[in-house]
Amino acid sequence: MQSFTSAACLFGIGLLTSMSVTATVTENDSVRSEASERGRALFLDNCAECHQRNGRGLKGIYPSLVSSEIVRGSGTDVALQLIIGRGEMPSFSGAMSPQDMADVINYVRNAWGNKGDAIDAISIERLLD
Ligand code: HEC
């Protein structure tokens, strides 16, 4: 009887633990997808007029961000483009917060088949200093 009770108890604890792990994962996922929704909206508002909604740009005028070496390279490289600007492309350092830049960078680095690890707002703040 004693061992039955403790087995049931352990089972209960195991169940609770796995439930809370599941809840945490779901929460992280929804935080992540919220950030990518924000990133997408920021892209459409700030970048798509030149780079187009599909990221492919306009041949000979605005470079494609799909299979771009800079976009695939690192979040820092893309951040520097946004902070400094380049050629016809304006600097966004006055227009976007570090968090906005992080969200839009993480969006372009993971849209249209791109795959890149995420950059956070703190790393962008450091580049702005
Ligand atoms: C006014 C048009 C314009 C807007 C708006 C614009 N860009 Fe650009 N972007 C350009 C042009 C032009 C270049 C190429 C500059 C050069 O190499 O001389 C470029 C280059 C880039 C590159 C480098 C691509 C490569 O492979 O060389 C990245 C990354 C980039 N832009 C991202 C963005 C993001 C993200 C946004 C929005 C926050 C944005 N751009 C908004 C015009 C624009």
Side-chain angles (χ1 to χ4, degrees):
M1 194 60 200
Q2 176 81 44
S3 71
F4 172 76
T5 319
S6 57
C9 189
L10 276 180
F11 176 72
I13 291 171
L15 199 65
L16 276 179
T17 315
S18 67
M19 271 159 57
S20 63
V21 167
T22 318
T24 316
V25 168
T26 321
E27 212 169 274
N28 281 345
D29 278 356
S30 77
V31 167
R32 215 172 290 138
S33 68
E34 236 167 68
S36 77
E37 266 310 303
R38 286 196 72 231
R40 181 168 183 274
L42 286 162
F43 177 82
L44 294 177
D45 283 352
N46 295 283
C47 323
E49 66 175 281
C50 297
H51 294 287
Q52 308 302 299
R53 295 172 72 94
N54 62 8
R56 293 186 179 275
L58 292 177
K59 212 170 180 179
I61 310 173
Y62 303 123
S64 168
L65 305 182
V66 183
S67 68
S68 145
E69 281 188 18
I70 292 173
V71 173
R72 294 207 164 173
S74 79
T76 306
D77 290 343
V78 181
L80 289 172
Q81 304 271 312
L82 298 194
I83 291 167
I84 298 166
R86 189 164 149 184
E88 295 271 298
M89 180 169 146
S91 158
F92 285 88
S93 60
M96 276 185 169
S97 69
Q99 185 61 59
D100 286 351
M101 286 196 225
D103 287 346
V104 81
I105 291 166
N106 293 333
Y107 173 72
V108 299
R109 279 174 43 80
N110 290 284
W112 320 299
N114 289 337
K115 259 197 180 358
D117 45 1
I119 191 167
D120 58 19
I122 293 167
S123 315
I124 296 191
E125 261 166 48
R126 280 198 205 108
L127 295 172
L128 284 164
D129 280 343

